[in-house]
Amino acid sequence: MAGEVQRGLEDVVALESQICFIDGHGGRLIYRGYDIRELAEQSTFEEVAYLLWYGRLPTRAQLDELRTRLARLREIPAELTGILDRIPKECAPMDVLRTAVSALAHFEPAETRPGASSIGGAQRLTAVLPSILGYFHRRRKGLPPLAPRPELGHAQYLLYALRDREGSELEGRALDIALILHADHELNASTFAARVTASTLSDLYSAVTSAVGTLKGPLHGGANERVMELLNECGTVDRVDAIVRGKLARHERIMGFGHRVYKVEDPRATILRDWSYRAGEAHHDLHYFELLRELERVVHREKGLYPNVDLYSGSVYTLLGIPSDLFTPVFAASRVVGWTAHVLEEYQDLRLIRPTAQYIGPVDLRYAPVDQRA
Ligand code: CMC
């Protein structure tokens, strides 16, 4: 007999995991036991990647080794650049990324090839994603390919790949923190997609391809780009109120607000609000920050909704000079760590993920030959 349907699998506990804990009522996010606020304050993206993959913070030697390894794995195989060269320049970068991750699997060296050590594949994908994004972005702008720049840390390399110049210390740190905040988030839709794929005993590259396709949607990773569109539509603080009320009256969603799990403010939004202000102050431009504060005020007053991670991230990326269609790919360049950590966990305690549906269509219809149908 069918049970009660939980639309969108809301509140369904699908599996056990040791990677990430969200306290939706307390507004806390924990990676492997560590509070996100402490990690954002004190750690780096590479340390967090190590933590998520291996379950513990690295020693100095382990961290240095991981940094060196990630820098060494940045090169894109020539066969893949050949494919990237044939993708129309107008294509959305998330679509390009999905194709690239899938194609990459064919050209990997033995140590990271699908089916080989999965941790190697996890590190390879994390290292190469910024190179793929940078390659495509530069090509569409008519610029020559990038050098892999092994001396740069992950965040600075990503910044360099997306805008062709290194960032200041503050800019590098702002992106590093954004990457830390996006690295994992329990069973979000894209991670769930990755785990479903892995649960069939499929390979890591296939799982990450599923995840990239899932992250792309505006209800998940694509929201921050839409937030910036809304801010640009508003233009000035005094227009926010009427525009938001108009959208809500038409039952449109305001991107960057609401969350399936958080019933209070998303702790990542709190940290990014601060960085939106800091980046704005450093660039002598608080235009977006002020619009966002007004947006928060109006949406909370009208709907009682709190900001999520996507509300402030776009303003930080814009100030860093990252084009808006690369915001979701930046999310992917961080979340790939969480996806792969979850896939590795899935492999360790594997059970095919296969829920059931409550059938609400007809039964007992009689088949009529095609010429006898009305
Ligand atoms: N704007 C307007 N109304 C909203 C919003 C919003 N952003 N979020 C929720 N609601 C309303 C919704 O219309 C519904 O109202 P009613 O009951 O009157 O029909 C009620 O709140 C519940 O909505 P729901 O869609 O059933 O709730 P959910 O748990 O499925 O929503 C969500 C989660 C993130 C899909 C939703 O809040 C949303 O669409 N937000 C905007 C998109 C966005 O910012 N996404 C980024 C999420 S955080 C990054 C990530 O982890 O992916």
Side-chain angles (χ1 to χ4, degrees), residues 7-8 10 182 185 188-190 215 217-224 227 248 251-263 266 268 299 303 305-306 308-311 331 335:
R7 288 193 70 233
E10 183 164 4
H182 287 85
H185 211 229
N188 59 90
S190 56
L215 182 68
L219 293 189
H220 188 5
N224 52 7
V227 171
L248 292 175
H251 302 288
E252 288 176 32
R253 290 192 177 220
I254 311 298
M255 295 293 146
F257 290 90
H259 200 276
R260 176 64 66 78
V261 186
Y262 292 115
K263 305 303 172 202
D266 180 337
R268 303 168 300 173
V299 172
K303 291 287 285 187
L305 290 166
Y306 292 99
N308 61 47
V309 69
D310 280 311
L311 186 66
F331 190 158
R335 184 60 58 85

Side-chain angles (χ1 to χ4, degrees), residues 5 9 36 48-49 71 87 97 119 166 181 225 252 263-264 284-285 295 300:
V5 175
L9 300 183
I36 195 69
V48 166
I87 296 178
L97 197 60
I119 190 80
E166 284 165 50
L181 299 179
E225 200 178 333
E252 288 176 32
K263 305 303 172 202
V264 294
H284 309 291
D285 180 2
L295 189 60
H300 193 263

Side-chain angles (χ1 to χ4, degrees), residues 80 96-105 125 129 132 205 208-209 212:
L80 182 60
V96 176
L97 197 60
R98 185 200 57 227
T99 302
V101 170
S102 176
L104 179 68
L125 283 164
L129 253 51
I132 292 170
Y205 288 70
V208 172
T209 305
V212 174

Side-chain angles (χ1 to χ4, degrees), residues 17-340:
S17 174
Q18 297 187 10
I19 299 173
C20 181
F21 170 59
I22 304 171
D23 175 359
H25 291 279
R28 291 184 76 199
L29 171 61
I30 310 283
Y31 291 169
R32 301 258 192 204
Y34 296 92
D35 193 296
I36 195 69
R37 285 174 280 232
E38 204 174 348
L39 292 171
E41 189 83 38
Q42 301 196 41
S43 77
T44 61
F45 178 69
E46 286 90 337
E47 274 182 272
V48 166
Y50 191 100
L51 174 69
L52 291 170
W53 285 325
Y54 295 98
R56 59 183 187 281
L57 284 168
T59 61
R60 163 69 56 200
Q62 289 165 335
L63 181 60
D64 289 347
E65 195 186 322
L66 179 64
R67 284 203 176 116
T68 308
R69 190 168 161 70
L70 290 177
R72 191 165 56 75
L73 292 170
R74 280 178 188 159
E75 293 268 6
I76 313 178
E79 296 90 337
L80 182 60
T81 57
I83 292 173
L84 292 173
D85 287 344
R86 300 181 69 161
I87 296 178
K89 291 177 183 166
E90 304 70 39
C91 286
M94 276 304 273
D95 292 331
V96 176
L97 197 60
R98 185 200 57 227
T99 302
V101 170
S102 176
L104 179 68
H106 304 302
F107 312 117
E108 289 296 74
E111 66 171 322
T112 52
R113 190 167 298 148
S117 156
S118 295
I119 190 80
Q123 292 170 358
R124 166 64 166 158
L125 283 164
T126 303
V128 80
L129 253 51
S131 307
I132 292 170
L133 294 170
Y135 185 89
F136 178 73
H137 179 56
R138 290 176 65 83
R139 193 177 73 85
R140 71 182 179 170
K141 294 187 78 180
L143 297 168
L146 286 170
R149 299 290 305 269
E151 77 284 7
L152 296 181
H154 194 77
Q156 279 288 11
Y157 177 61
L158 181 60
L159 204 47
Y160 166 68
L162 300 184
R163 60 174 215 184
D164 196 30
R165 62 181 199 283
E166 284 165 50
S168 65
E169 203 175 309
L170 181 125
E171 288 176 326
R173 186 62 187 146
L175 188 59
D176 200 38
I177 285 172
L179 296 179
I180 290 171
L181 299 179
H182 287 85
D184 195 43
H185 211 229
E186 199 225 46
L187 271 198
N188 59 90
S190 56
T191 302
F192 187 58
R195 285 193 81 134
V196 169
T197 305
S199 84
T200 69
L201 267 181
S202 183
D203 67 280
L204 184 74
Y205 288 70
S206 299
V208 172
T209 305
S210 300
V212 174
T214 309
L215 182 68
K216 181 183 145 183
L219 293 189
H220 188 5
N224 52 7
E225 200 178 333
R226 312 288 167 99
V227 171
M228 295 312 288
E229 284 167 15
L230 174 59
L231 298 186
N232 290 329
E233 182 187 338
C234 293
T236 50
V237 167
D238 57 303
R239 283 167 46 85
V240 173
D241 199 314
I243 288 178
V244 168
R245 281 191 289 113
K247 286 186 181 299
L248 292 175
R250 293 190 298 275
H251 302 288
E252 288 176 32
R253 290 192 177 220
I254 311 298
M255 295 293 146
F257 290 90
H259 200 276
R260 176 64 66 78
V261 186
Y262 292 115
K263 305 303 172 202
V264 294
E265 180 164 297
D266 180 337
R268 303 168 300 173
T270 316
I271 298 166
L272 283 168
R273 181 190 292 115
D274 181 39
W275 276 93
S276 174
Y277 181 78
R278 285 160 85 161
E281 216 181 24
H283 287 87
H284 309 291
D285 180 2
L286 289 170
H287 172 65
Y288 285 126
F289 181 79
E290 281 158 9
L291 284 170
L292 285 161
R293 290 300 282 165
E294 178 65 0
L295 189 60
E296 265 197 77
R297 196 183 64 78
V298 175
V299 172
H300 193 263
R301 185 194 68 208
E302 295 295 317
K303 291 287 285 187
L305 290 166
Y306 292 99
N308 61 47
V309 69
D310 280 311
L311 186 66
Y312 281 94
S313 58
S315 65
V316 175
Y317 299 156
T318 301
L319 286 163
L320 294 182
I322 299 173
S324 62
D325 67 351
L326 292 171
F327 292 175
T328 314
V330 168
F331 190 158
S334 163
R335 184 60 58 85
V336 65
V337 167
W339 293 332
T340 51

